Amino acid sequence: VCQTLRNMADSGRIVVSTIHQPSSKAFSYFSHVLLLALGRTVYYGPTDTLISYFNRYVTVGSAAWAGLEMQHA
């Protein structure tokens, strides 16, 4: 399914989807991500900068981290 959606996007179509806890393979098909925690935007941008964003801006104890922790409690 993800490969089909990726092919559609590569052909110029806009594809919007939702996915909960994607596998790393499924995640690799996405070019951009909107990550929400408790209904608030935690990250919006390219998937290839997501890890560096979290390493730089999200620390244990921050509001963004607290939102993520609450989702998994």
Side-chain angles (χ1 to χ4, degrees):
V1 172
C2 287
Q3 182 61 58
T4 300
L5 295 173
R6 178 77 256 164
N7 292 343
M8 291 171 62
D10 289 343
S11 72
R13 293 185 179 157
I14 295 173
V15 176
V16 177
S17 65
T18 63
I19 189 166
H20 178 69
Q21 295 181 336
S23 67
S24 58
K25 182 174 182 176
F27 188 80
S28 72
Y29 291 114
F30 293 91
S31 61
H32 288 75
V33 65
L34 170 62
L35 178 61
L36 302 172
L38 301 173
R40 295 181 178 251
T41 301
V42 175
Y43 176 82
Y44 173 71
T47 54
D48 60 353
T49 61
L50 178 65
I51 299 298
S52 63
Y53 173 85
F54 273 89
N55 286 334
R56 186 175 202 180
Y57 296 110
V58 180
T59 58
V60 174
S62 70
W65 179 265
L68 293 173
E69 284 292 292
M70 291 178 73
Q71 281 189 329
H72 295 289

